[in-house]
């Protein structure tokens, strides 16, 4: 703001200051306020009396709100032009001008309420613009916590909800991204009676479809320090060479063969043994849906989450590592029996972001910290162990039994319930009363008619099918025997797995039961 402010009449100032109810001494009180303000400004004559009002003379950059508006506009312009780095810098400078609540000492005065709301909306909009810039720069892991706090403080704002969903998805936390949408929808429906807006609904669908457009493209910057003749020719295939960031789980198995003979190992024997070991690791990886990234003379690197992302990639990686360990231990025992050969190995598992080429550029291998960290963990895991990092440990949670080891975790074994994943359900279910009633009606009919009732629950991923079934089973747990069977998403020998699980739960069969014990339990369960 440059130049004098418009003259404000004294009677208007009194009206705003006392909310339409001025005391008899209002005029004198206003003059006292103006006098104190003149002293605070240093008595330089910038606050002047003009007729029946007052004028304050301000220079260009004296008001924080004006500097804020300039920096905010500059940041938005950079963001619109696809330059997130300068945008983030300008927006951070703008937000740094905010020190506490604006007009905090006037928070309870009626005349200041409209301005307080306007200033707070300006701050929130600038904050959300800065979060957009950070997301465009690949800082999704850094802003998740900030976004969770922002959403908690402003639960009905849809823009930060969308930002949180995107940040969680890019961190490999797809289930939590879907949960964030469901929480937003519950809030809007319960408190306002409306569905989420189109932007939030379309983002929800994109997360369900694992839309590649949600991944963060890496824009390759031109090298300005190279002469023009050294520039590499661009591909002419017509396919875009786009790189993306993805959160994956890397599994690295390092192998070593030793011989008790003084003359060392024969190259052909070494090749044969290493080949057998690598085959065992590759089979375990493929059984759990992983892909082989590299194979060297003394190890193999596998990735879970490429090309397709799964919610349980970390658990798949740990399961594959456990199966590979068992197979390699069997091979090591066989080698000892066959001759004086010893197989030493270590397996490392790490989860995090990598950069990988698009399908149109398969020659571009994945690169990132998980690959190097899993290799170091594999070295630390020898002999014959599995080491996982803290990120993997958080994702697999109770599915494994592990102990801490030098800022990592040493896997002892898979837990008994490792085949399933139990979601953390802490909030009450809402909006499914009609479906719940239908389940109870079918149950009552089955009991009264002594008949079978087949009930199929259909819906897109993330709408709460599993939660609905869990709530119903909790309702009937005291009056019915519950037997559950799940169709596993991958693996071998799973055709009859749901039936096997249901029978085991209903009868109480244990994996260690003998044939006679299993038959006795079946007869006892079916008696009568």
């Amino acid at each position: 703001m440059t130049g004098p402010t418009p003259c404000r009449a004294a009677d208007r100032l009194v009206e705003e200051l006392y909310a339409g109810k001025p005391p008899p001494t209002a005029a004198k009180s206003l003059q006292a306020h103006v006098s104190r303000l003149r002293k605070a400004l240093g008595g330089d004559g910038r606050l002047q009396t003009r007729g029946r009002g007052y004028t304050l003379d301000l220079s260009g950059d004296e008001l924080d709100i004006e500097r804020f508006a300039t920096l905010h506009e500059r940041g938005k312009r950079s963001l619109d032009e696809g330059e997130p780095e300068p945008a983030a810098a300008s927006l951070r400078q703008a937000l740094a001008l905010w020190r506490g609540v604006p007009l905090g000492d006037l928070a309870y005065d009626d005349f200041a309420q409209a301005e307080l709301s306007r200033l707070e909306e300006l701050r929130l909009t600038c904050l959300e613009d800065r979060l957009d810039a950070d997301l465009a720069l690949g800082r999704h892991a850094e802003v998740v916590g900030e976004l969770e706090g922002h959403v908690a403080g402003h639960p009905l704002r849809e823009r930060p909800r969308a930002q949180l969903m995107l940040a969680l998805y890019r961190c490999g936390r797809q289930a939590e991204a879907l949960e964030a949408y469901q929480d937003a929808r519950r809030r809007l429906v319960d408190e306002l009676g409306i569905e989420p807006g189109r932007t939030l609904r379309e983002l929800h669908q994109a997360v369900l479809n694992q839309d590649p457009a949600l991944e963060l493209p890496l824009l390759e910057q031109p090298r300005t320090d190279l002469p023009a003749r050294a520039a590499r020719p661009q591909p002419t295939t017509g396919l875009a060479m786009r790189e993306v960031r993805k959160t994956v789980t890397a599994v690295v198995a390092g192998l070593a063969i030793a011989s008790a003979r003084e003359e060392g190992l024969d190259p052909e024997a070494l090749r044969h043994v290493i080949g057998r070991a690598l085959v065992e690791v590759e089979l375990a990886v493929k059984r759990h849906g992983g892909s082989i990234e590299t194979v060297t003379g003394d190890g193999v690197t596998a990735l879970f989450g490429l090309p397709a992302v799964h919610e349980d990639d970390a658990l798949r990686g740990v399961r594959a590592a456990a199966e590979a360990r068992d197979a390699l231990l069997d091979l090591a025992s066989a080698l000892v029996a066959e001759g004086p050969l010893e197989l030493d190995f270590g397996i490392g598992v790490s989860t995090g972001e990598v950069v990988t080429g698009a399908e149109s550029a398969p020659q571009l291998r994945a690169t990132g910290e998980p690959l190097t960290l899993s290799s170091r963990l594999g070295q630390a895991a020898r002999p014959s162990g599995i080491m996982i990092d803290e990120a993997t440990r958080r994702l697999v949670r109770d599915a494994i039994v592990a102990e801490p080891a030098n800022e990592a975790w040493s896997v002892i074994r898979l837990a008994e319930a490792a085949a399933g994943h139990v979601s953390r359900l802490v909030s009450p279910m809402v909006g499914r009363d009609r479906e719940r009633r239908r389940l109870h009606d079918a149950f009552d009919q089955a009991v009264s008619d002594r008949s079978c009732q087949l009930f199929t629950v259909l819906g897109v991923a993330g709408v709460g099918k599993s939660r609905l079934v869990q709530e119903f089973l909790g309702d009937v747990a005291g009056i019915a025997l519950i037997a559950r069977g799940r169709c596993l998403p991958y693996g071998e020998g799973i055709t009859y797995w749901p039936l096997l699980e249901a029978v085991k739960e209903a009868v109480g069969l244990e994996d260690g039961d003998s044939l006679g014990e299993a038959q006795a339990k079946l007869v006892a369960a079916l008696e009568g």
Side-chain angles (χ1 to χ4, degrees):
M1 183 178 296
T2 304
T5 58
C7 181
R8 299 294 289 257
D11 54 354
R12 182 177 175 184
L13 291 172
V14 167
E15 181 75 16
E16 292 181 355
L17 190 59
Y18 294 102
K21 298 178 181 179
T25 59
K28 292 183 178 180
S29 296
L30 177 62
Q31 291 173 0
H33 288 316
V34 171
S35 177
R36 286 196 294 271
L37 181 57
R38 282 198 175 105
K39 291 180 181 179
L41 293 173
D44 55 4
R46 287 193 293 170
L47 182 57
Q48 300 178 2
T49 303
R50 297 282 178 86
R52 293 181 54 80
Y54 303 93
T55 298
L56 178 62
D57 190 10
L58 295 172
S59 59
D61 243 1
E62 283 192 281
L63 285 181
D64 281 348
I65 191 63
E66 295 297 324
R67 287 190 288 166
F68 168 82
T70 301
L71 290 167
H72 187 193
E73 185 59 35
R74 184 187 305 164
K76 287 196 299 182
R77 187 164 56 250
S78 296
L79 198 56
D80 292 340
E81 293 171 356
E83 298 177 346
E85 192 162 355
S90 295
L91 294 168
R92 287 182 192 280
Q93 291 177 30
L95 291 168
L97 295 171
W98 293 79
R99 295 177 290 274
V101 179
L103 305 180
D105 53 344
L106 303 174
Y108 300 104
D109 291 309
D110 293 341
F111 77 90
Q113 296 309 305
E115 185 65 8
L116 278 168
S117 299
R118 186 183 77 87
L119 293 174
E120 179 63 9
E121 181 61 29
L122 287 174
R123 186 188 69 83
L124 292 176
T125 302
C126 183
L127 173 62
E128 290 162 8
D129 286 339
R130 197 220 79 213
L131 288 166
D132 272 343
D134 284 341
L135 288 171
L137 289 168
R139 298 171 181 163
H140 35 274
E142 301 171 25
V143 301
V144 166
E146 183 179 4
L147 278 166
E148 287 175 336
H150 185 32
V151 166
H154 304 86
L156 299 181
R157 291 180 75 91
E158 294 193 28
R159 186 180 178 189
R161 293 276 189 176
Q163 292 171 325
L164 177 59
M165 288 175 62
L166 182 59
L168 289 169
Y169 180 82
R170 287 180 177 173
C171 288
R173 298 160 66 178
Q174 179 180 351
E176 293 174 70
L178 295 172
E179 189 177 327
Y181 173 81
Q182 295 300 335
D183 182 62
R185 183 178 180 276
R186 282 193 295 270
R187 284 276 192 160
L188 292 169
V189 170
D190 292 349
E191 298 187 22
L192 302 178
I194 60 173
E195 290 287 337
R198 176 179 296 179
T199 299
L200 210 56
R201 295 199 308 271
E202 290 177 351
L203 177 59
H204 175 242
Q205 191 61 47
V207 171
L208 289 173
N209 296 335
Q210 296 183 3
D211 192 335
L214 298 180
E215 302 291 349
L216 182 67
L218 295 181
L219 303 177
E220 185 176 352
Q221 300 297 324
R223 293 286 303 275
T224 58
D225 57 334
L226 298 178
R229 58 182 175 83
R232 289 184 297 175
Q234 297 297 315
T236 57
T237 60
L239 296 174
M241 300 280 283
R242 190 171 70 94
E243 293 181 330
V244 296
R245 290 178 183 263
K246 281 195 172 184
T247 299
V248 303
T249 295
V251 178
V252 174
L255 309 170
I257 307 295
S259 173
R261 296 174 181 172
E262 295 182 359
E263 64 272 18
L265 280 173
D266 179 76
E268 289 189 14
L270 177 61
R271 179 181 178 86
H272 175 68
V273 173
I274 288 290
R276 290 169 63 184
L278 292 178
V279 166
E280 295 292 351
V281 176
E282 291 183 36
L283 288 175
V285 168
K286 290 179 179 177
R287 277 195 295 268
H288 291 275
S291 60
I292 302 299
E293 180 72 5
T294 57
V295 178
T296 61
D298 59 353
V300 58
T301 300
L303 294 178
F304 292 81
L306 284 177
V309 177
H310 307 93
E311 291 185 10
D312 59 347
D313 280 324
L315 185 54
R316 290 180 182 224
V318 174
R319 286 178 183 161
E323 281 193 16
R325 176 173 62 181
D326 293 341
L328 292 174
L329 286 173
D330 291 341
L331 177 59
S333 299
L335 290 176
V336 171
E338 293 172 6
L341 295 178
E342 295 180 356
L343 171 62
D344 183 24
F345 67 89
I347 303 176
V349 184
S350 175
T351 301
E353 284 189 340
V354 299
V355 176
T356 181
E359 293 181 3
S360 60
Q363 71 274 19
L364 296 178
R365 295 290 186 180
T367 56
E369 185 179 7
L371 285 90
T372 56
L373 180 55
S374 56
S375 180
R376 292 199 299 270
L377 290 171
Q379 291 291 332
R382 290 184 176 179
S384 311
I386 301 173
M387 296 281 283
I388 65 175
D389 64 353
E390 179 60 31
T392 305
R393 166 67 179 174
R394 286 199 306 270
L395 291 170
V396 299
R397 295 196 298 273
D398 300 328
I400 64 170
V401 178
E403 59 184 12
N406 297 327
E407 299 184 356
W409 293 82
S410 176
V411 176
I412 300 173
R413 66 178 186 276
L414 295 179
E416 293 295 329
H421 172 72
V422 180
S423 299
R424 294 166 291 171
L425 304 174
V426 294
S427 58
M429 185 179 70
V430 295
R432 290 288 182 266
D433 292 339
R434 181 173 58 184
E435 291 86 349
R436 205 163 171 177
R437 268 198 316 272
R438 289 178 178 175
L439 283 168
H440 279 282
D441 289 343
F443 175 75
D444 293 340
Q445 184 175 351
V447 172
S448 61
D449 298 347
R450 298 184 64 82
S451 62
C452 292
Q453 297 291 323
L454 175 64
F455 206 105
T456 305
V457 181
L458 299 175
V460 297
V463 299
K465 300 186 298 296
S466 299
R467 179 66 185 275
L468 172 65
V469 173
Q470 280 187 273
E471 293 288 336
F472 168 69
L473 294 181
D475 294 341
V476 301
I479 55 177
L481 175 64
I482 297 171
R484 285 164 284 210
R486 291 159 296 144
C487 295
L488 299 182
Y490 68 94
E492 297 178 345
I494 62 173
T495 304
Y496 295 102
W497 188 268
L499 178 60
L500 174 63
E501 279 200 319
V503 172
K504 287 174 67 176
E505 182 173 1
V507 178
L509 291 179
E510 303 291 342
D511 290 337
D513 289 344
S514 66
L515 179 59
E517 291 171 332
Q519 288 177 337
K521 289 182 177 180
L522 284 167
V523 171
L526 297 174
E527 186 176 2

